Structure formats: structure tokens, C-alpha cells
Amino acid sequence: MQAAYAASGYVPVHPFRVLDTRLSNSPMQAGTAAKVAVPMIAGSPSGSYHTGGATAAVLDVKVTGATQDTHLNVWPSGQQRPATSNVNVRAGGTSSNTVTVPIGSDGKILAQLNSGQGHVVVDFVGYYQPNTGKRFYPITPTRLADTRTTGGALGAGQTRTVKVAGVRSIPPDAQAVALNLTATGATTDTHVIAYPEADKRPATSNLNPEPGKDKSNQVIVPVGPDGTITLYNNAGSTDLILDVVGYYHEWGGGALFTPVVPKRLADTRTTGKLAPGATTTVAGLPANAVGAALNVTATETTSAGFLTVHGYGTARTDASSLNTRPGETVPNHVITPVGDGKVGIWNSWGGSNHVITDVFGYFTQG
């Protein structure tokens, strides 16, 4: 795998919105790539950030009001549109996903719908930049919180503070955490926000729960001054589950991120479905990689279940990376440990799935 970008540290920011086509009632049209400028100096509720020289952006990208089943892909300006995807959405539905994407030389990224039209919302979460930022420490996925067993579901307008620093394998002075956020048992369509400071809720969103569906999105959240993050539910009630997959820290022997032009690593539609209880091995990552930023998609699912992504050769845990749903194509951003240039993807005892794996970058010891 050839990299055209330098190894970089992560700079988390207080999330803010950079695009919302609903405001101008100008939905994105299929077949036309829309340019999105990565903020050079962008104001936000907690200050200003200068991202000149950044190699990759971390975004939360939402598609809503699609006129037909479709997918959106995101890639760096100046490159050919890759055969990858980031957000899959049903007609009339809303779907969001975290996207880590290299930045083009003009400071922009491109986004394009595959078919139909739909509104696109982009929230800026952070960026990677050489010679600055935080280093990443991947850890075995571990459950941090589950409101089904502790605290109860979040009602409309309610928040829940979760201690993350100094918990499990996360050090007390971690600056940001990478988490898989899952909603289950939602009573109405709603949105969930994960953010660092309880009294500074941003006008963004991370997850769009729906009744009767388990939905997940991987999020990277700065750690608040008291070592916590806050979860907010907008409407109805929903249970939330948090699994940590890594953290970012200023110093030490952590890993730096090298973005790559999005590339498809594996697609079981050409090799055969992944059966319940089976594991597929995905190769093609550098042998010295300790982690990777992937987009994993499940499609043609026969029964509800979940996928767990883990480093090749390491023990699998019960933490989920993606919740599968019959009749739907479901993507999720996955930051995962890597072993010997490979990852394992395990299918739960739900139904069989096709699994598609795209890579957007990898982590190596700096």
C-alpha cells in the first residue's frame, strides 16, 4: 500500500457544522461531485482552529431525505472517484457515518451520491496533521457503558455523563477517545450527540436512532476537563451502548496516522457470504501497522446481528463494530487494531452477510 501523505497526529476540536444543504434547499444530485472546503480557520463555540497543512479530516456525514436507496462516497479533491462508499441510506431515511478522509492539495474533499438526490450534512470533528497533535493508542474493544444495565434509557432532552479517562485501559490524561456508539430500543426517530463538556452542547449530531433498529456509529470525542464525555438524546427515549476502541494522548509511544486514497480491500460478494459464527480475514494493510481506519459495510443480511472487527491473531471480544439489519445495507467507520497487516471480521449468530471493507489510512508507531 503506497501512501501519498505524511504520518500525522490527531487534533480534536469541538464539533461544528460545515455543510447543510437543507438550509439552501439544494439537495445533492447524483453524478455530480460536490466540493467541501476543510476549514482553514474555522470558528466554533470553543474557539478557533487552524488546519493549514492537515493531511486528513474527520467528519460526521449524514444523508437525509434521499429519493431512492443510494450511497455517498467521500474522497480527496484532485483524485479519481474511488470504488468505495461511506454512507448508505434507504429512500426517505436518514443515515450518518463518521468519515476519515485525506484532504486534497487545494484543501478540499469531494462527495457524491451514487443515485437519486438527497440532503447532505457535514460536521467537522477533527483533523490529522504532521508534527503536531495527539498519538493514537489502539486497545482491545471494551464496553464502557450500557444504559440497559446501568442508569436506564435516555429520555427526550436528557443527557448522561460517562467517565472515560482513567477507566479500563484509558489513562487519566487521555485527550480524546474513539468509541463505537450504539442505540437500541428507540421509541421514535431521534438524534444523539456525543461531546466533551456538558454545558457546551454543539449543534451537530453523531447518530440517528430509529424505532425497531439497532444503529451504531463510531465517534472520536475529545475528553472533557473532568475526564468525562456527555451523551444527549433529542426525542423519545433510547438505550445507548459505548465500546471504546482506542484513545489519543499527547506523548509517549503511541501511533501516528498515515492517510491513503480510499481503496477497497475486500468484498465477499466476489467470494461468498460470511456465515453466522464465521470470521473472514482481510489483508492488504502494511505489516507494521498497529491500527487502521476502515469503512466496513454489511449487505444482503438475512437476520439481525452484528459484526466485530479485531486485530488478526488477537482474541475477539463481545464488543460490536456494526449492527446488521435484514433488507438494509449498513456501513460503519471502524478504527481497529491490526495484526500482521490483517484484521479479522466475525459475524455473530444472527444471519449471513456480505461484508465490504474499505481502507482510508493506517496507524504506525511514530
Side-chain angles (χ1 to χ4, degrees):
M1 179 177 294
Q2 292 185 342
Y5 297 86
S8 303
Y10 182 65
V11 182
V13 305
H14 194 84
F16 59 96
R17 189 147 288 171
V18 296
L19 175 70
D20 188 343
T21 65
R22 298 172 299 184
L23 299 179
S24 59
N25 195 27
S26 302
M28 187 175 291
Q29 306 291 328
T32 302
K35 282 194 173 185
V36 180
V38 176
M40 294 295 288
I41 300 178
S44 79
S46 61
S48 297
Y49 305 99
H50 187 274
T51 60
T55 57
V58 180
L59 313 167
D60 189 274
V61 180
K62 179 189 293 82
V63 180
T64 188
T67 57
Q68 57 186 269
D69 293 359
T70 187
H71 70 262
L72 178 87
N73 63 335
V74 182
W75 72 99
S77 176
Q79 300 285 342
Q80 292 293 316
R81 184 186 183 199
T84 55
S85 63
N86 297 95
V87 183
N88 298 77
V89 64
R90 298 292 300 271
T94 298
S95 183
S96 60
N97 198 10
T98 295
V99 175
T100 298
V101 59
I103 299 169
S105 59
D106 61 354
K108 295 180 172 64
I109 61 171
L110 299 173
Q112 184 171 326
L113 278 174
N114 188 61
S115 59
Q117 67 177 33
H119 284 293
V120 176
V121 182
V122 179
D123 297 330
F124 189 74
V125 176
Y127 60 94
Y128 290 94
Q129 186 164 332
N131 305 313
T132 189
K134 281 63 172 169
R135 292 170 179 256
F136 181 66
Y137 292 77
I139 62 176
T140 301
T142 305
R143 186 141 296 172
L144 283 184
D146 186 341
T147 65
R148 296 173 300 179
T149 58
T150 304
L154 272 72
Q158 288 187 341
T159 60
R160 185 73 47 83
T161 298
V162 180
K163 181 74 170 177
V164 293
V167 177
R168 306 297 190 208
S169 301
I170 307 170
D173 52 353
Q175 278 93 36
V177 287
L179 307 161
N180 206 58
L181 172 63
T182 301
T184 186
T187 60
T188 189
D189 291 355
T190 183
H191 69 262
V192 172
I193 310 172
Y195 55 103
E197 298 178 66
D199 60 345
K200 296 180 180 179
R201 187 174 79 238
T204 57
S205 63
N206 298 100
L207 185 63
N208 297 89
E210 300 175 54
K213 298 180 180 180
D214 292 344
K215 298 185 75 173
S216 57
N217 189 17
Q218 195 170 88
V219 296
I220 303 175
V221 188
V223 176
D226 58 353
T228 66
I229 64 169
T230 297
L231 303 173
Y232 166 82
N233 174 45
N234 185 64
S237 67
T238 185
D239 278 302
L240 297 175
I241 304 162
L242 277 180
D243 297 320
V244 61
V245 299
Y247 63 89
Y248 294 84
H249 194 275
E250 194 79 48
W251 309 109
L256 297 173
F257 181 71
T258 301
V260 300
V261 175
K263 175 184 177 182
R264 183 141 294 172
L265 290 181
D267 187 342
T268 66
R269 292 175 297 184
T270 63
T271 58
K273 270 189 169 182
L274 187 62
T279 298
T280 183
T281 298
V282 177
L285 296 162
N288 64 335
V290 297
L294 308 173
N295 196 78
V296 178
T297 303
T299 191
E300 298 182 34
T301 302
T302 58
S303 181
F306 63 90
L307 302 178
T308 297
V309 185
H310 58 98
Y312 176 77
T314 64
R316 173 181 57 82
T317 70
D318 292 331
S320 61
S321 304
L322 182 156
N323 293 87
T324 60
R325 299 189 293 272
E328 293 191 45
T329 298
V330 181
N332 205 23
H333 181 277
V334 176
I335 293 178
T336 177
V338 173
D340 194 27
K342 306 170 190 173
V343 299
I345 303 178
W346 180 77
N347 184 25
S348 71
W349 299 99
S352 60
N353 298 277
H354 278 306
V355 180
I356 305 159
T357 308
D358 300 328
V359 62
F360 292 82
Y362 57 88
F363 296 89
T364 53
Q365 294 298 136

